[in-house]
Each structure stands twice: as C-alpha cells, then as structure tokens.
Amino acid sequence: MAKQLILVRHAKSDWGDFTLKDFDRPLNPRGHKNAPEMVERLIAKGIKPEAVVSSPALRAITTAKYFAAGWQTDAAQLTTEPSIYEATTNTLLRVVNQLDNQFDRIALFGHNPGLTDLLNYLSEGQISDMPTCSVAIIDFQFDDWTLVSRGTGDLVLFDYPKSGLD
C-alpha cells in the first residue's frame, strides 16, 4: 500500500515566560483551542494515522497529544523522536526514511523552519510557511519509507486554523 505522511506543526506557543528554555515553552490559549479544532477537521475527512511521531519539545508533544486523543490513538502508537527538535531537512528526511513500514499513514509533529522545508522538499511544494497548528498531507506512490526523497510526494492537503476551510 502507498505511504502517507501527515506533517503537523505544533500549535501556537506561549512566549510569556522568558526564563523558560525554548524546548520547554507550553502552548498558549490559542494553541489549546486550535489543536482540537484541527484534529476534528481531519477526523471529518476520515484521516487518522496508524502511528504518531513527535518532537519531545513541550509545545510539539502537547499538540501531538491533542491530536492523538482526537484520533483515539493508543498510547503505544505515540512516540517521541528527539532529532525532530530543531531539525534540518536532511535530519527530518532520515526520520521519515526510518519510519516503520508496517504503518502506511504516519503523523509527524515538529517545528519550523524544518517542517516547511521538508514539505517543499518532498512535494516540490510552494508553501512559504507552515503556520502554527497547520497540517500538510503528502502521498507517496510506494510502500517503503526508505524510498521517500526529494520530489517523490504529492501534497494532497494543506490546512491551518485561520484558513477558513472546513
């Protein structure tokens, strides 16, 4: 079966406490509102991954947990991957290439600029910026994650909280 990658940028984070490390920034009220709304949009389209992989940064894992709850994902299907945090395109590509082939649809939660760069690299997309809590879905016409590389995917959905799409 073909592979499908769901890229999700973390929801809006809180910059209020400058004593916190970037890694430890929580979601702000808008982030807590947007994450459940965005997963509901995906559920309405029948989109549910078989596995969820997230950056361990607080704002990313919190976003991933909102989506996982909406998707009723088993806790064992939610894993963290430290290399996603502050990752370059090459690092993110390595993460994707190492995904478990038993899963055909996987959601990956991370950060910019890495996710936007990865999206454009894989799909030859023209997305200038993935806003917070945005979702991009890329289809691949093969059944092995190791084959994912530049321009091998088709961007089939791009949505974000302020898009006005339903």
Side-chain angles (χ1 to χ4, degrees):
M1 180 168 167
K3 299 297 186 196
Q4 186 174 75
L5 184 64
I6 304 169
L7 297 177
V8 185
R9 183 178 173 201
H10 66 78
K12 196 77 174 162
S13 58
D14 192 337
W15 288 88
D17 183 349
F18 289 100
T19 64
L20 285 178
K21 291 180 182 159
D22 177 73
F23 187 87
D24 297 323
R25 284 191 295 114
L27 297 185
N28 72 8
R30 192 171 102 204
H32 285 290
K33 178 174 165 279
N34 289 160
E37 289 172 356
M38 291 304 294
V39 74
E40 285 303 319
R41 290 189 199 178
L42 295 177
I43 291 167
K45 292 176 170 58
I47 297 166
K48 179 184 178 198
E50 298 159 304
V52 176
V53 181
S54 177
S55 157
L58 183 60
R59 61 195 181 274
I61 192 66
T62 303
T63 303
K65 285 178 178 175
Y66 270 118
F67 277 71
W71 285 322
Q72 298 176 330
T73 302
D74 186 292
Q77 294 170 289
L78 172 57
T79 58
T80 57
E81 171 49 62
S83 66
I84 295 172
Y85 179 66
E86 295 187 334
T88 62
T89 301
N90 284 341
T91 300
L92 289 169
L93 181 60
R94 272 196 302 278
V95 170
V96 171
N97 289 156
Q98 292 168 4
L99 292 172
D100 189 332
N101 274 322
Q102 74 171 317
F103 303 118
D104 294 319
R105 182 185 273 168
I106 297 179
L108 190 145
F109 289 76
H111 312 267
N112 266 353
L115 284 187
T116 299
D117 294 344
L118 181 68
L119 162 61
N120 290 322
Y121 178 84
L122 295 178
S123 69
E124 297 180 349
Q126 303 296 315
I127 306 294
S128 61
D129 179 57
M130 283 186 72
T132 50
C133 214
S134 60
V135 176
I137 299 179
I138 305 170
D139 282 351
F140 301 95
Q141 299 307 314
F142 34 75
D143 61 5
D144 188 334
W145 290 110
T146 62
L147 299 175
V148 171
S149 60
R150 179 191 288 272
T152 57
D154 293 309
L155 180 63
V156 295
L157 183 139
F158 180 64
D159 195 8
Y160 51 96
K162 293 184 175 180
S163 68
L165 299 174
D166 276 329

PDB file of all heavy atoms in Angstrom, residues 119-131:
ATOM      1  N   LEU A 119       8.364  19.746   3.720  1.00  0.00           N
ATOM      2  CA  LEU A 119       7.164  19.710   2.873  1.00  0.00           C
ATOM      3  C   LEU A 119       7.506  20.086   1.433  1.00  0.00           C
ATOM      4  O   LEU A 119       7.149  19.377   0.480  1.00  0.00           O
ATOM      5  CB  LEU A 119       6.112  20.668   3.450  1.00  0.00           C
ATOM      6  CG  LEU A 119       4.974  21.128   2.555  1.00  0.00           C
ATOM      7  CD1 LEU A 119       4.130  19.968   2.087  1.00  0.00           C
ATOM      8  CD2 LEU A 119       4.120  22.141   3.284  1.00  0.00           C
ATOM      9  N   ASN A 120       8.210  21.183   1.265  1.00  0.00           N
ATOM     10  CA  ASN A 120       8.562  21.659  -0.076  1.00  0.00           C
ATOM     11  C   ASN A 120       9.578  20.733  -0.750  1.00  0.00           C
ATOM     12  O   ASN A 120       9.520  20.526  -1.963  1.00  0.00           O
ATOM     13  CB  ASN A 120       9.073  23.092  -0.012  1.00  0.00           C
ATOM     14  CG  ASN A 120       7.950  24.065   0.319  1.00  0.00           C
ATOM     15  OD1 ASN A 120       6.825  23.911  -0.147  1.00  0.00           O
ATOM     16  ND2 ASN A 120       8.246  25.046   1.141  1.00  0.00           N
ATOM     17  N   TYR A 121      10.471  20.153   0.029  1.00  0.00           N
ATOM     18  CA  TYR A 121      11.478  19.233  -0.498  1.00  0.00           C
ATOM     19  C   TYR A 121      10.820  17.958  -1.032  1.00  0.00           C
ATOM     20  O   TYR A 121      11.128  17.495  -2.125  1.00  0.00           O
ATOM     21  CB  TYR A 121      12.479  18.909   0.618  1.00  0.00           C
ATOM     22  CG  TYR A 121      13.561  17.940   0.246  1.00  0.00           C
ATOM     23  CD1 TYR A 121      14.718  18.358  -0.400  1.00  0.00           C
ATOM     24  CD2 TYR A 121      13.456  16.590   0.573  1.00  0.00           C
ATOM     25  CE1 TYR A 121      15.735  17.467  -0.727  1.00  0.00           C
ATOM     26  CE2 TYR A 121      14.463  15.688   0.258  1.00  0.00           C
ATOM     27  CZ  TYR A 121      15.597  16.131  -0.399  1.00  0.00           C
ATOM     28  OH  TYR A 121      16.594  15.241  -0.722  1.00  0.00           O
ATOM     29  N   LEU A 122       9.907  17.405  -0.242  1.00  0.00           N
ATOM     30  CA  LEU A 122       9.292  16.133  -0.618  1.00  0.00           C
ATOM     31  C   LEU A 122       8.270  16.252  -1.737  1.00  0.00           C
ATOM     32  O   LEU A 122       8.122  15.357  -2.554  1.00  0.00           O
ATOM     33  CB  LEU A 122       8.622  15.477   0.599  1.00  0.00           C
ATOM     34  CG  LEU A 122       9.544  15.047   1.729  1.00  0.00           C
ATOM     35  CD1 LEU A 122       8.723  14.463   2.875  1.00  0.00           C
ATOM     36  CD2 LEU A 122      10.596  14.059   1.249  1.00  0.00           C
ATOM     37  N   SER A 123       7.545  17.382  -1.754  1.00  0.00           N
ATOM     38  CA  SER A 123       6.425  17.510  -2.693  1.00  0.00           C
ATOM     39  C   SER A 123       6.661  18.555  -3.770  1.00  0.00           C
ATOM     40  O   SER A 123       5.773  18.819  -4.567  1.00  0.00           O
ATOM     41  CB  SER A 123       5.155  17.880  -1.927  1.00  0.00           C
ATOM     42  OG  SER A 123       5.270  19.203  -1.417  1.00  0.00           O
ATOM     43  N   GLU A 124       7.842  19.165  -3.751  1.00  0.00           N
ATOM     44  CA  GLU A 124       8.114  20.296  -4.632  1.00  0.00           C
ATOM     45  C   GLU A 124       7.003  21.333  -4.495  1.00  0.00           C
ATOM     46  O   GLU A 124       6.535  21.925  -5.457  1.00  0.00           O
ATOM     47  CB  GLU A 124       8.310  19.822  -6.078  1.00  0.00           C
ATOM     48  CG  GLU A 124       9.527  18.910  -6.187  1.00  0.00           C
ATOM     49  CD  GLU A 124       9.815  18.375  -7.575  1.00  0.00           C
ATOM     50  OE1 GLU A 124       8.978  18.521  -8.484  1.00  0.00           O
ATOM     51  OE2 GLU A 124      10.913  17.801  -7.739  1.00  0.00           O
ATOM     52  N   GLY A 125       6.569  21.510  -3.239  1.00  0.00           N
ATOM     53  CA  GLY A 125       5.503  22.461  -2.919  1.00  0.00           C
ATOM     54  C   GLY A 125       5.997  23.893  -2.963  1.00  0.00           C
ATOM     55  O   GLY A 125       7.198  24.158  -3.062  1.00  0.00           O
ATOM     56  N   GLN A 126       5.062  24.793  -2.919  1.00  0.00           N
ATOM     57  CA  GLN A 126       5.375  26.227  -2.935  1.00  0.00           C
ATOM     58  C   GLN A 126       4.822  26.889  -1.675  1.00  0.00           C
ATOM     59  O   GLN A 126       4.333  28.010  -1.723  1.00  0.00           O
ATOM     60  CB  GLN A 126       4.771  26.870  -4.193  1.00  0.00           C
ATOM     61  CG  GLN A 126       5.234  26.243  -5.493  1.00  0.00           C
ATOM     62  CD  GLN A 126       6.723  26.413  -5.721  1.00  0.00           C
ATOM     63  OE1 GLN A 126       7.266  27.491  -5.531  1.00  0.00           O
ATOM     64  NE2 GLN A 126       7.396  25.339  -6.127  1.00  0.00           N
ATOM     65  N   ILE A 127       4.888  26.193  -0.550  1.00  0.00           N
ATOM     66  CA  ILE A 127       4.370  26.724   0.708  1.00  0.00           C
ATOM     67  C   ILE A 127       5.475  27.563   1.356  1.00  0.00           C
ATOM     68  O   ILE A 127       6.548  27.049   1.644  1.00  0.00           O
ATOM     69  CB  ILE A 127       3.938  25.575   1.661  1.00  0.00           C
ATOM     70  CG1 ILE A 127       2.943  24.622   0.995  1.00  0.00           C
ATOM     71  CG2 ILE A 127       3.402  26.132   2.974  1.00  0.00           C
ATOM     72  CD1 ILE A 127       1.608  25.211   0.653  1.00  0.00           C
ATOM     73  N   SER A 128       5.190  28.851   1.563  1.00  0.00           N
ATOM     74  CA  SER A 128       6.236  29.718   2.120  1.00  0.00           C
ATOM     75  C   SER A 128       6.408  29.520   3.620  1.00  0.00           C
ATOM     76  O   SER A 128       7.494  29.728   4.155  1.00  0.00           O
ATOM     77  CB  SER A 128       5.927  31.186   1.816  1.00  0.00           C
ATOM     78  OG  SER A 128       4.692  31.555   2.404  1.00  0.00           O
ATOM     79  N   ASP A 129       5.328  29.107   4.304  1.00  0.00           N
ATOM     80  CA  ASP A 129       5.414  28.945   5.754  1.00  0.00           C
ATOM     81  C   ASP A 129       4.253  28.090   6.240  1.00  0.00           C
ATOM     82  O   ASP A 129       3.105  28.365   5.899  1.00  0.00           O
ATOM     83  CB  ASP A 129       5.348  30.321   6.435  1.00  0.00           C
ATOM     84  CG  ASP A 129       5.400  30.214   7.947  1.00  0.00           C
ATOM     85  OD1 ASP A 129       6.362  29.635   8.470  1.00  0.00           O
ATOM     86  OD2 ASP A 129       4.467  30.706   8.605  1.00  0.00           O
ATOM     87  N   MET A 130       4.557  27.065   7.018  1.00  0.00           N
ATOM     88  CA  MET A 130       3.504  26.300   7.681  1.00  0.00           C
ATOM     89  C   MET A 130       3.165  27.043   8.970  1.00  0.00           C
ATOM     90  O   MET A 130       3.979  27.073   9.894  1.00  0.00           O
ATOM     91  CB  MET A 130       3.978  24.881   8.019  1.00  0.00           C
ATOM     92  CG  MET A 130       4.007  23.925   6.849  1.00  0.00           C
ATOM     93  SD  MET A 130       4.422  22.212   7.350  1.00  0.00           S
ATOM     94  CE  MET A 130       2.900  21.686   8.194  1.00  0.00           C
ATOM     95  N   PRO A 131       1.976  27.653   9.034  1.00  0.00           N
ATOM     96  CA  PRO A 131       1.612  28.364  10.270  1.00  0.00           C
ATOM     97  C   PRO A 131       1.483  27.393  11.442  1.00  0.00           C
ATOM     98  O   PRO A 131       1.418  26.175  11.242  1.00  0.00           O
ATOM     99  CB  PRO A 131       0.238  28.977   9.948  1.00  0.00           C
ATOM    100  CG  PRO A 131       0.048  28.848   8.485  1.00  0.00           C
ATOM    101  CD  PRO A 131       0.931  27.729   8.020  1.00  0.00           C
TER     102      PRO A 131
END
